[in-house]
C-alpha cells in the first residue's frame, strides 16, 4: 500500500528559491524558469519537517458540518485568527460539503496554532497552507530532430529500447482523440505555440466577454483558469513574473500535435485544460485544492476529463488536498504525479502529492535512455508505481521555443499521455481499468526492480491491449 508522501524538491533549488510547492518533476540546471504568480504569498516561509514549507501566518481550517458560529469564532480567537477566504468549490458542494475550507491569517506560530486547533470543538482538521513549486531544469536550449527518445520503442524507427513505445501505438493507428480531455495542473500553457495551437480546450459555455456565462464563479475561464493570479489568462509569458515554460513543456509531451515541425506528444489529438496554480514563487495548498476541484467540477458537468498531470510537489501531508484528489477519484479522473527529484526513498520519507494512497494516483519515477533510474529520481518499492523517460526530454516551451529538461516532471506527462491514449481507445474506462492497463503492462527493468511497485517502465503500446 502507498504510504503518505511529501514531495521533496531539489536541494539546489531550495537553496536558491525559498518557496514551497515545487513543480517537482524536473531537475533544473538553473532556476530562471521558476514560476509563481506575483499574487502568491509574500510572507516569509517556514521549513517544517525536512523540506516541507508553508506560508507563515496562514493556515487552513476545515470545520465540521453543522459547526456553530460560536464554535468557529472560538477557534479563530484561540489562534488570534482572521478568516480571509472561504473556499467552497462546486466539487465540494457536490460531495455534500457546506462548510468548505477557511483560509485564516493567524498572529502566532503556525505549527502551534495547528496543534491547538486539531481536536478543538467544531474543527475537523487544521493544517498549514503548504507551498509547492516546480523544479524543472533546462539542459539544452536547442531542439534537434530525432531526439525524442522518450517516444520511441525497441522496434520503432527511430528506435530506443527504453522509450515509452508510443511510436508503436501511432503505427497501429492510435494517435488520440479530441474527445479526450486532460487537465494540466502546473504553470500555464502557451496555447498559441505552433505545436499546441488547437490542442487547448475552448470552453463553449464561457466565451471571453467579461461575463461568467457558465455560472461557476470564474469570469471567462475560456481555456481554463489561473488560480495563482485569479484570472482567465492561462499564459502570461513573463508579464506576471512567470514564463509558463514548465506547464508548456509537460503539455507538449502529453499532446504536441503532429504537424511536420517541432516535437510531437503521446497524443496527436487531445484537448488540454489549464488549471494553473504555480507562479513565480510557487503555489499553495489553497490554490492546489481549487485547481483539482475545478477539473472535477468540469467532469461533473459532462466534459470527458480522464486525468490530470501533476509535475509538482512540496509541503507535508495535507488532508485538504487528499480530499480534493479523492473527489477527483470519485469523478473518474486519474491523478498522475511526479515522484520527486531528491533521489530519496519515498517509502522512508513521504513525498506529496505522489504518495497519497488513493486509487487514482500513479506515482512516476524517471529513467534515462539507457534504462537507468535517473540519479535525481525518487523511488519507492511501495510508493512509486512505475518509471518513464525523464532525462533529456525535448518539448515545447514559451515563446514558440523548444527545450530539453530533466526530471520526474518530464516522466510524468509520458504516463499521463498514455492514460489519455488508452481512454481514446477504451471510451468510458474506469479509474481501476486505466490503472491496471498502465501498471500491468510495465516492462520489467533492472534499475526499477525493488525500486517501484511494478519494477518496470511505461509501455504505451502494450497498455492499449489491456
Amino acid at each position: 500500500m502507498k504510504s503518505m508522501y511529501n514531495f521533496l524538491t531539489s536541494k539546489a533549488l531550495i537553496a536558491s528559491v525559498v518557496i514551497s510547492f515545487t513543480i517537482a518533476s524536473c531537475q533544473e540546471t538553473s532556476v530562471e524558469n521558476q514560476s509563481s504568480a506575483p499574487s502568491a504569498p509574500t510572507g516569509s516561509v517556514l521549513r517544517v519537517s525536512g523540506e516541507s514549507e508553508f506560508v507563515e501566518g496562514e493556515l487552513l481550517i476545515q470545520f465540521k458540518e453543522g459547526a456553530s458560529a460560536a464554535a468557529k469564532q472560538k477557534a479563530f480567537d484561540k489562534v488570534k485568527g482572521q478568516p480571509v477566504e472561504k473556499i467552497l468549490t462546486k466539487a465540494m458542494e457536490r460531495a455534500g460539503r457546506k462548510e468548505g475550507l477557511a483560509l485564516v491569517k493567524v498572529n502566532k506560530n503556525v505549527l502551534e496554532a495547528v496543534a491547538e486547533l486539531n481536536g478543538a470543538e467544531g474543527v475537523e482538521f487544521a493544517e498549514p497552507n503548504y507551498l509547492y513549486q516546480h523544479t524543472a531544469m533546462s539542459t539544452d536550449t536547442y531542439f534537434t530532430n530525432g531526439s525524442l527518445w522518450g517516444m520511441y520503442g525497441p522496434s520503432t524507427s527511430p528506435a530506443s529500447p527504453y522509450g515509452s513505445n508510443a511510436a508503436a501505438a501511432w503505427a497501429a493507428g492510435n494517435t488520440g482523440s479530441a474527445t479526450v480531455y486532460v487537465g494540466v495542473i502546473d504553470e500555464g500553457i502557451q496555447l498559441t505555440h505552433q505545436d499546441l495551437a488547437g490542442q487547448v480546450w475552448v470552453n463553449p459555455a464561457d466565451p471571453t466577454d467579461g461575463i461568467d456565462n457558465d455560472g461557476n464563479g470564474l469570469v471567462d475561464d475560456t481555456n481554463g483558469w489561473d488560480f495563482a493570479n485569479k484570472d482567465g489568462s492561462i499564459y502570461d509569458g513573463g508579464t506576471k513574473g512567470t514564463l509558463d515554460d514548465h506547464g508548456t513543456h509537460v503539455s507538449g509531451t502529453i499532446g504536441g500535435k503532429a504537424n511536420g515541425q517541432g516535437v510531437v506528444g503521446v497524443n496527436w489529438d487531445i484537448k488540454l485544460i489549464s488549471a494553473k496554480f504555480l507562479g513565480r514563487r510557487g503555489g499553495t495548498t489553497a490554490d492546489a485544492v481549487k485547481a483539482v476541484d475545478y477539473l472535477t467540477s468540469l467532469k461533473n458537468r459532462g466534459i470527458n476529463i480522464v486525468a490530470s498531470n501533476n509535475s509538482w510537489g512540496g509541503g507535508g501531508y495535507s488532508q485538504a488536498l487528499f480530499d480534493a484528489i479523492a473527489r477527483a477519484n470519485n469523478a473518474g479522473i486519474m491523478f498522475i504525479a511526479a515522484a520527486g527529484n531528491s533521489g530519496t526513498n519515498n517509502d522512508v520519507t513521504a513525498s506529496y502529492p505522489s504518495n497519497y494512497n488513493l486509487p487514482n494516483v500513479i506515482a512516476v519515477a524517471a529513467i534515462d535512455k539507457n534504462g537507468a533510474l535517473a540519479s535525481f529520481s525518487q523511488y519507492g518499492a511501495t510508493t512509486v508505481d512505475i518509471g518513464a523517460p525523464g532525462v533529456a526530454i525535448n518539448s515545447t516551451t514559451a515563446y514558440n521555443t523548444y527545450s530539453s529538461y530533466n526530471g520526474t516532471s518530464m516522466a510524468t506527462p509520458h504516463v499521463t499521455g498514455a492514460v489519455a491514449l488508452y481512454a481514446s481507445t477504451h471510451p468510458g474506462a474506469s479509474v481501476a481499468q486505466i490503472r491496471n492497463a498502465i501498471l500491468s503492462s510495465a516492462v520489467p527493468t533492472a534499475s526499477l526492480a525493488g525500486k517501484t511497485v511494478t519494477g518496470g517502465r511505461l509501455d504505451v503500446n502494450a497498455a492499449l491491449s489491456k
Side-chain angles (χ1 to χ4, degrees), residues 234-302:
I234 66 164
Y235 175 64
D236 298 321
T239 61
K240 297 178 183 176
T242 172
L243 292 176
D244 295 320
D245 272 329
H246 189 273
T248 301
H249 196 281
V250 301
S251 296
T253 298
I254 296 167
K257 64 184 180 182
N259 57 2
Q261 61 180 325
V263 299
V264 67
V266 177
N267 297 266
W268 300 358
D269 293 303
I270 195 171
K271 291 301 177 186
L272 304 170
I273 301 176
S274 177
K276 177 179 177 179
F277 89 109
L278 293 166
R280 179 177 54 85
R281 297 188 58 185
T284 65
T285 299
D287 286 341
V289 168
K290 294 175 192 175
V292 175
D293 274 352
Y294 174 66
L295 297 176
T296 300
S297 295
L298 291 177
K299 179 67 177 281
N300 290 334
R301 212 171 78 187

Side-chain angles (χ1 to χ4, degrees), residues 182-332:
V182 164
V184 179
I185 302 178
D186 205 288
E187 293 180 340
I189 306 169
Q190 189 199 341
L191 66 169
T192 58
H193 194 289
Q194 57 266 29
D195 274 330
L196 294 173
Q199 305 293 77
V200 178
W201 172 66
V202 176
N203 185 354
D206 200 0
T208 304
D209 59 4
I211 301 171
D212 180 20
N213 296 282
D214 57 6
N216 65 353
L218 306 176
V219 177
D220 296 345
D221 58 322
T222 307
N223 306 113
W225 191 256
D226 180 348
F227 294 95
N229 290 298
K230 299 178 175 58
D231 61 37
S233 175
I234 66 164
Y235 175 64
D236 298 321
T239 61
K240 297 178 183 176
T242 172
L243 292 176
D244 295 320
D245 272 329
H246 189 273
T248 301
H249 196 281
V250 301
S251 296
T253 298
I254 296 167
K257 64 184 180 182
N259 57 2
Q261 61 180 325
V263 299
V264 67
V266 177
N267 297 266
W268 300 358
D269 293 303
I270 195 171
K271 291 301 177 186
L272 304 170
I273 301 176
S274 177
K276 177 179 177 179
F277 89 109
L278 293 166
R280 179 177 54 85
R281 297 188 58 185
T284 65
T285 299
D287 286 341
V289 168
K290 294 175 192 175
V292 175
D293 274 352
Y294 174 66
L295 297 176
T296 300
S297 295
L298 291 177
K299 179 67 177 281
N300 290 334
R301 212 171 78 187
I303 297 172
N304 185 32
I305 301 173
V306 300
S308 66
N309 188 85
N310 301 276
S311 291
W312 49 271
Y317 175 82
S318 165
Q319 187 64 49
L321 186 54
F322 177 95
D323 290 347
I325 298 169
R327 288 189 287 271
N329 176 68
N330 293 338

Side-chain angles (χ1 to χ4, degrees), residues 334-361:
M334 299 294 297
F335 187 94
I336 315 304
N341 294 338
S342 295
T344 53
N345 186 345
N346 289 358
D347 290 356
V348 177
T349 304
S351 179
Y352 299 98
S354 70
N355 265 58
Y356 287 119
N357 186 17
L358 286 163
N360 59 333
V361 176

Side-chain angles (χ1 to χ4, degrees), residues 30-113:
S30 65
V31 293
E32 68 253 18
N33 292 336
Q34 282 303 249
S35 61
S36 170
S39 62
T42 55
S44 59
V45 175
L46 285 180
R47 183 72 51 84
V48 188
S49 58
E51 311 289 341
S52 299
E53 296 172 338
F54 54 81
V55 183
E56 187 173 10
E58 288 187 5
L59 52 78
L60 295 168
I61 303 175
Q62 175 67 67
F63 288 106
K64 294 178 180 177
E65 294 298 320
S68 67
K72 294 176 186 177
Q73 190 59 54
K74 185 177 179 180
F76 295 144
D77 292 343
K78 192 179 189 73
V79 295
K80 301 178 182 178
Q82 178 65 42
V84 294
E85 182 180 1
K86 179 179 180 179
I87 302 170
L88 183 60
T89 65
K90 296 291 185 182
M92 290 177 184
E93 292 178 328
R94 188 181 178 94
R97 283 283 183 192
K98 296 180 181 179
E99 290 296 341
L101 281 168
L103 178 61
V104 181
K105 293 281 189 183
V106 294
N107 189 25
K108 67 183 305 180
N109 179 279
V110 169
L111 294 183
E112 291 178 3

